[in-house]
CSV table of all heavy atoms in Angstrom, one decimal:
chain,number,residue,atom,x,y,z
A,6,SER,N,76.8,160.5,23.4
A,6,SER,CA,75.4,160.3,24.0
A,6,SER,C,75.2,158.7,24.3
A,6,SER,O,74.7,158.4,25.4
A,6,SER,CB,74.4,160.7,23.0
A,6,SER,OG,74.5,162.1,22.8
A,7,PHE,N,75.7,157.9,23.5
A,7,PHE,CA,75.5,156.5,23.7
A,7,PHE,C,76.3,156.0,24.9
A,7,PHE,O,75.9,155.2,25.8
A,7,PHE,CB,75.9,155.7,22.5
A,7,PHE,CG,75.6,154.2,22.5
A,7,PHE,CD1,74.3,153.7,22.7
A,7,PHE,CD2,76.7,153.3,22.5
A,7,PHE,CE1,74.1,152.4,22.8
A,7,PHE,CE2,76.4,151.9,22.6
A,7,PHE,CZ,75.1,151.5,22.7
A,8,VAL,N,77.6,156.5,25.0
A,8,VAL,CA,78.5,156.1,26.2
A,8,VAL,C,77.9,156.6,27.4
A,8,VAL,O,77.8,156.0,28.5
A,8,VAL,CB,79.9,156.6,25.9
A,8,VAL,CG1,80.7,156.5,27.2
A,8,VAL,CG2,80.6,155.9,24.7
A,9,VAL,N,77.4,157.9,27.4
A,9,VAL,CA,76.8,158.5,28.6
A,9,VAL,C,75.6,157.6,29.0
A,9,VAL,O,75.3,157.5,30.2
A,9,VAL,CB,76.4,159.9,28.4
A,9,VAL,CG1,75.6,160.5,29.5
A,9,VAL,CG2,77.7,160.8,28.2
A,10,SER,N,74.7,157.3,28.1
A,10,SER,CA,73.6,156.5,28.4
A,10,SER,C,73.9,155.1,29.1
A,10,SER,O,73.3,154.7,30.0
A,10,SER,CB,72.7,156.3,27.2
A,10,SER,OG,73.4,155.5,26.2
A,11,LEU,N,75.0,154.5,28.6
A,11,LEU,CA,75.4,153.2,29.2
A,11,LEU,C,75.9,153.5,30.6
A,11,LEU,O,75.5,152.7,31.5
A,11,LEU,CB,76.5,152.6,28.3
A,11,LEU,CG,76.1,152.1,26.9
A,11,LEU,CD1,77.3,151.5,26.2
A,11,LEU,CD2,75.1,150.9,27.1
A,12,SER,N,76.8,154.5,30.8
A,12,SER,CA,77.3,154.7,32.1
A,12,SER,C,76.1,155.1,33.1
A,12,SER,O,76.1,154.7,34.2
A,12,SER,CB,78.4,155.8,32.0
A,12,SER,OG,77.8,157.0,31.6
A,13,ARG,N,75.2,155.9,32.6
A,13,ARG,CA,74.1,156.3,33.5
A,13,ARG,C,73.2,155.1,33.8
A,13,ARG,O,72.7,155.1,35.0
A,13,ARG,CB,73.3,157.4,32.8
A,13,ARG,CG,74.0,158.8,32.8
A,13,ARG,CD,73.1,159.8,32.2
A,13,ARG,NE,73.7,161.1,32.1
A,13,ARG,CZ,73.2,162.2,31.6
A,13,ARG,NH1,72.1,162.1,30.9
A,13,ARG,NH2,73.8,163.4,31.6
A,14,SER,N,73.1,154.2,32.9
A,14,SER,CA,72.3,153.0,33.2
A,14,SER,C,72.9,152.3,34.4
A,14,SER,O,72.3,151.8,35.3
A,14,SER,CB,72.2,152.2,32.0
A,14,SER,OG,71.5,151.0,32.3
A,15,LEU,N,74.3,152.1,34.3
A,15,LEU,CA,75.0,151.4,35.3
A,15,LEU,C,75.0,152.1,36.6
A,15,LEU,O,74.7,151.5,37.7
A,15,LEU,CB,76.5,151.1,34.9
A,15,LEU,CG,76.7,150.2,33.8
A,15,LEU,CD1,78.1,150.2,33.3
A,15,LEU,CD2,76.3,148.8,34.2
A,16,VAL,N,75.1,153.4,36.7
A,16,VAL,CA,75.0,154.2,37.9
A,16,VAL,C,73.7,154.1,38.4
A,16,VAL,O,73.5,154.1,39.7
A,16,VAL,CB,75.4,155.7,37.6
A,16,VAL,CG1,75.2,156.6,38.8
A,16,VAL,CG2,76.9,155.8,37.2
A,17,GLN,N,72.6,154.2,37.6
A,17,GLN,CA,71.3,154.0,38.1
A,17,GLN,C,71.1,152.6,38.8
A,17,GLN,O,70.4,152.6,39.8
A,17,GLN,CB,70.3,154.2,36.9
A,17,GLN,CG,68.9,154.2,37.4
A,17,GLN,CD,67.9,154.4,36.2
A,17,GLN,OE1,68.3,154.5,35.0
A,17,GLN,NE2,66.6,154.4,36.5
A,18,ARG,N,71.7,151.6,38.2
A,18,ARG,CA,71.5,150.3,38.8
A,18,ARG,C,72.2,150.3,40.2
A,18,ARG,O,71.7,149.7,41.2
A,18,ARG,CB,72.1,149.3,38.0
A,18,ARG,CG,71.3,149.0,36.7
A,18,ARG,CD,71.9,147.9,35.9
A,18,ARG,NE,71.2,147.8,34.6
A,18,ARG,CZ,71.5,146.9,33.6
A,18,ARG,NH1,72.5,146.1,33.9
A,18,ARG,NH2,70.7,146.8,32.5
A,19,LEU,N,73.4,150.9,40.3
A,19,LEU,CA,74.1,151.0,41.6
A,19,LEU,C,73.3,151.8,42.6
A,19,LEU,O,73.2,151.4,43.8
A,19,LEU,CB,75.5,151.6,41.4
A,19,LEU,CG,76.5,150.8,40.5
A,19,LEU,CD1,77.8,151.6,40.4
A,19,LEU,CD2,76.7,149.4,41.2
A,20,ASP,N,72.6,152.9,42.2
A,20,ASP,CA,71.8,153.6,43.1
A,20,ASP,C,70.6,152.9,43.5
A,20,ASP,O,70.2,152.9,44.7
A,20,ASP,CB,71.4,154.9,42.4
A,20,ASP,CG,72.6,155.9,42.2
A,20,ASP,OD1,73.5,155.8,42.9
A,20,ASP,OD2,72.4,156.8,41.2
A,21,GLU,N,70.1,152.1,42.6
A,21,GLU,CA,68.9,151.3,43.0
A,21,GLU,C,69.3,150.3,44.0
A,21,GLU,O,68.5,150.0,45.0
A,21,GLU,CB,68.3,150.7,41.7
A,21,GLU,CG,67.6,151.6,40.8
A,21,GLU,CD,67.2,150.9,39.5
A,21,GLU,OE1,67.5,149.7,39.4
A,21,GLU,OE2,66.5,151.5,38.7
A,22,GLN,N,70.4,149.6,43.8
A,22,GLN,CA,70.9,148.6,44.7
A,22,GLN,C,71.2,149.1,46.1
A,22,GLN,O,71.0,148.6,47.1
A,22,GLN,CB,72.0,147.8,44.1
A,22,GLN,CG,71.6,147.0,42.9
A,22,GLN,CD,70.5,145.9,43.2
A,22,GLN,OE1,70.5,145.3,44.3
A,22,GLN,NE2,69.6,145.8,42.3
A,23,SER,N,71.9,150.3,46.0
A,23,SER,CA,72.2,150.9,47.3
A,23,SER,C,70.9,151.3,48.1
A,23,SER,O,70.9,151.3,49.4
A,23,SER,CB,73.2,152.1,47.1
A,23,SER,OG,72.4,153.1,46.3
A,24,ALA,N,70.0,151.8,47.4
A,24,ALA,CA,68.7,152.2,48.0
A,24,ALA,C,68.0,150.9,48.5
A,24,ALA,O,67.4,151.0,49.7
A,24,ALA,CB,67.7,152.9,47.0
A,25,GLY,N,68.1,149.8,47.8
A,25,GLY,CA,67.6,148.6,48.4
A,25,GLY,C,68.3,148.2,49.6
A,25,GLY,O,67.7,147.6,50.6
A,26,LEU,N,69.6,148.3,49.6
A,26,LEU,CA,70.4,147.9,50.8
A,26,LEU,C,70.0,148.8,52.0
A,26,LEU,O,69.9,148.3,53.1
A,26,LEU,CB,71.9,148.1,50.5
A,26,LEU,CG,72.5,147.0,49.6
A,26,LEU,CD1,74.0,147.4,49.3
A,26,LEU,CD2,72.4,145.6,50.2
A,27,LEU,N,69.8,150.1,51.7
A,27,LEU,CA,69.4,151.0,52.8
A,27,LEU,C,68.0,150.6,53.4
A,27,LEU,O,67.8,150.6,54.6
A,27,LEU,CB,69.3,152.4,52.3
A,27,LEU,CG,68.9,153.5,53.3
A,27,LEU,CD1,69.9,153.5,54.5
A,27,LEU,CD2,69.0,154.9,52.7
A,28,VAL,N,67.1,150.2,52.4
A,28,VAL,CA,65.7,149.8,52.9
A,28,VAL,C,65.8,148.5,53.7
A,28,VAL,O,65.2,148.5,54.8
A,28,VAL,CB,64.8,149.6,51.7
A,28,VAL,CG1,63.5,149.0,52.1
A,28,VAL,CG2,64.6,150.9,51.0
A,29,ARG,N,66.6,147.6,53.2
A,29,ARG,CA,66.7,146.4,54.1
A,29,ARG,C,67.4,146.6,55.5
A,29,ARG,O,67.1,146.0,56.5
A,29,ARG,CB,67.6,145.3,53.3
A,29,ARG,CG,66.8,144.7,52.1
A,29,ARG,CD,67.5,143.5,51.6
A,29,ARG,NE,68.8,143.8,51.0
A,29,ARG,CZ,69.0,144.1,49.8
A,29,ARG,NH1,68.0,144.1,49.0
A,29,ARG,NH2,70.2,144.4,49.3
A,30,ARG,N,68.4,147.6,55.4
A,30,ARG,CA,68.9,148.0,56.7
A,30,ARG,C,67.9,148.6,57.7
A,30,ARG,O,67.8,148.2,58.8
A,30,ARG,CB,70.1,149.0,56.5
A,30,ARG,CG,70.6,149.6,57.7
A,30,ARG,CD,71.5,148.7,58.5
A,30,ARG,NE,72.1,149.4,59.6
A,30,ARG,CZ,72.9,148.8,60.5
A,30,ARG,NH1,73.2,147.5,60.4
A,30,ARG,NH2,73.4,149.5,61.5
A,31,LEU,N,67.0,149.4,57.2
A,31,LEU,CA,66.0,150.0,58.0
A,31,LEU,C,65.0,149.0,58.5
A,31,LEU,O,64.6,149.0,59.7
A,31,LEU,CB,65.2,151.1,57.2
A,31,LEU,CG,66.1,152.4,56.9
A,31,LEU,CD1,65.3,153.3,56.0
A,31,LEU,CD2,66.6,153.1,58.1
């Protein structure tokens, strides 16, 4: 559970930054 929470936190950050990149692109 701890490892999954760490990996999900990183994936969430990547998703947030990719969403930010898409917004800036638009």
Side-chain angles (χ1 to χ4, degrees):
S6 299
F7 187 62
V8 170
V9 169
S10 65
L11 289 177
S12 63
R13 285 180 179 177
S14 176
L15 291 173
V16 172
Q17 184 179 3
R18 291 181 184 180
L19 293 179
D20 290 338
E21 291 175 354
Q22 292 302 318
S23 62
L26 290 174
L27 180 60
V28 170
R29 286 194 295 271
R30 171 72 177 180
L31 292 174

